[in-house]
Amino acid sequence: MTGNFSHPPGGYVFIVTYGRSGSTLLQNILNAIPGYQIRGENNYAIQPLAQSWAAVNSSEPMRGARKAGVPTPPEDPFYGAEKIDPDAWGQALADTFVREVLHPDPGTRVSGFKEIRFHLRPGLFAPTLHFIRRFLPQSRFVFNTRDHAAVGRSGWWAKMDPEAVRKELKTAEKLFAAYATKHPRVCHRVHYDTYVSAPETLKALFDFLGEEMKPDVIERVLGTPLDHARNPGGG
């Protein structure tokens, strides 16, 4: 994206999940919608940006300097803090993320990405999604889950302690459910095992997105094999 920055007219959709949940299939389903470009994982690159904004926004000394509205002297430990606009900083971070990480192609109507790492730092889960909603307009989240036993047999999970796997997946799903319950207008939950066996259940997802569901397109995507051997760390 060059020249004047602008967000995609249809906003953003983010697939939030854990590894080996079938999220790459869901990503492909969304990318079959005309104008959608949902990128793959980016190693949770947006989380430290959210932390950076929160550090500036929540600092009491910095907030006090801004509220006072007078220049801080050079000997002040927060010299210059009154000049920092947290929302301008947050927007600049978000805009840079879209421009340099998502790189929406010309004609992209809805951008976004899928990520399997949001739950790894539970205390930052809601704050990071809050940052996304605040600075990326029309953001929506799709929480994708899968049968825990199937996940536990897949990829790197199979090498882990089964109890540790169950604990992590339960933690993730509690975070998903809590956020979706609190913010129902911008969240939707899907379950891999359900939509794979009954593709018609995806109609609720398409309704949530305000898009037309075309069964023949869904059938084609579901019938296309995925080669995860090229990306063993993917979802």
Side-chain angles (χ1 to χ4, degrees):
M1 301 173 71
T2 58
N4 294 329
F5 177 84
S6 61
H7 291 279
Y12 298 86
V13 172
F14 303 95
I15 299 172
V16 180
T17 186
Y18 39 74
R20 316 308 292 184
S21 66
S23 58
T24 303
L25 175 61
L26 182 59
Q27 175 187 325
N28 290 347
I29 290 172
L30 294 184
N31 280 330
I33 301 173
Y36 273 55
Q37 188 172 66
I38 310 303
R39 299 294 195 186
E41 300 160 30
N42 51 63
N43 200 30
Y44 202 12
I46 203 165
Q47 181 266 313
L49 304 186
Q51 276 192 291
S52 181
W53 168 71
V56 171
N57 187 58
S58 63
S59 166
E60 287 298 337
M62 296 177 76
R63 182 181 293 133
R66 292 193 298 271
K67 186 175 181 180
V70 295
T72 48
E75 62 271 17
D76 191 294
F78 286 88
Y79 175 46
E82 75 281 356
K83 296 181 178 294
I84 301 173
D85 181 339
D87 282 351
W89 173 233
Q91 193 62 65
L93 289 169
D95 291 352
T96 300
F97 178 85
V98 174
R99 187 167 50 240
E100 302 299 334
V101 177
L102 293 184
H103 284 285
D105 290 336
T108 297
R109 183 165 58 89
V110 175
S111 184
F113 62 83
K114 70 115 167 174
E115 185 55 77
I116 64 174
R117 298 166 179 83
F118 278 94
H119 67 283
L120 296 179
R121 303 186 71 180
L124 296 176
F125 184 85
T128 301
L129 269 57
H130 173 64
F131 172 83
I132 291 173
R133 290 179 60 203
R134 187 179 183 110
F135 296 110
L136 296 179
Q138 302 179 67
S139 285
R140 291 152 290 173
F141 303 102
V142 179
F143 297 108
N144 184 70
T145 58
R146 186 182 184 184
D147 174 72
H148 290 184
V151 172
R153 294 190 296 268
S154 182
W156 66 90
W157 296 109
K159 301 177 183 179
M160 295 174 59
D161 174 62
E163 184 55 35
V165 172
R166 285 191 291 270
K167 183 177 180 180
E168 181 172 335
L169 297 181
K170 286 181 179 179
T171 295
E173 293 189 10
K174 284 182 180 179
L175 291 169
F176 301 168
Y179 197 86
T181 299
K182 191 172 182 179
H183 306 283
R185 293 195 308 109
V186 296
C187 298
H188 187 80
R189 288 183 274 180
V190 296
H191 191 67
Y192 171 84
D193 306 278
T194 300
Y195 61 77
V196 167
S197 61
E200 65 274 11
T201 60
L202 286 170
K203 179 67 164 55
L205 170 61
F206 278 74
D207 289 345
F208 166 73
L209 298 174
E211 304 291 348
E212 178 187 2
M213 176 176 159
K214 297 181 178 180
D216 59 323
V217 175
I218 301 299
E219 182 178 355
R220 173 175 55 78
V221 175
L222 291 175
T224 302
L226 297 175
D227 182 9
H228 279 69
R230 293 176 300 173
N231 183 20

